[in-house]
Amino acid sequence: MQIKNLIDTFRPAENRDVGNKSARGGTASGASTQQSDRVTLSAGAQTLRAAMTAAQASSGVRAERVEQLKHQVETNTYEMNSRRTAEKLVEQESSLWERSV
C-alpha cells in the first residue's frame, strides 16, 4: 500500500483523489462515469435480517396465556418446572443453529 492511499483515507471525501476525478473536482477525461456501490450481506446477516423481519411482523404476545399466567402468579398457584424450561431453551437454541447451517 502506498502512503498516499493511506493518507487519502483520512481526508474528507470532497478532497480525496478518487477514481477518474482530479484533485480539483473535475474529471480526468472530461466525461463523467457513473459507478454504483454494492453491498453484499453474509449468510449470517441475511438470517438475522429474516429473523428481525419476522419478529417485527408478529407481536409475539399470546394475551390469553399472559392472563392465565398472571392469574396463577397472583393466586400463588403458579408452579415453575425448571427442567421443562431448560429443555425448551436447549431445543430453541439447537433449532436456531440448525437453520443457520
Side-chain angles (χ1 to χ4, degrees), residues 53-101:
T53 302
Q56 290 172 348
S58 171
S59 70
V61 176
R62 299 181 295 174
E64 183 179 314
R65 180 70 175 142
V66 169
E67 287 301 318
Q68 181 184 28
L69 291 171
K70 184 178 177 180
H71 177 70
Q72 288 177 356
V73 169
E74 288 173 350
T75 60
N76 277 343
T77 58
Y78 177 74
E79 293 182 25
M80 185 175 151
N81 184 339
S82 58
R83 182 174 183 87
R84 183 167 183 238
T85 302
E87 287 172 353
K88 289 292 184 179
L89 286 171
V90 170
E91 179 183 308
Q92 185 177 19
E93 182 72 18
S94 64
S95 71
L96 289 173
W97 283 105
E98 289 172 4
R99 283 188 226 149
S100 66
V101 175

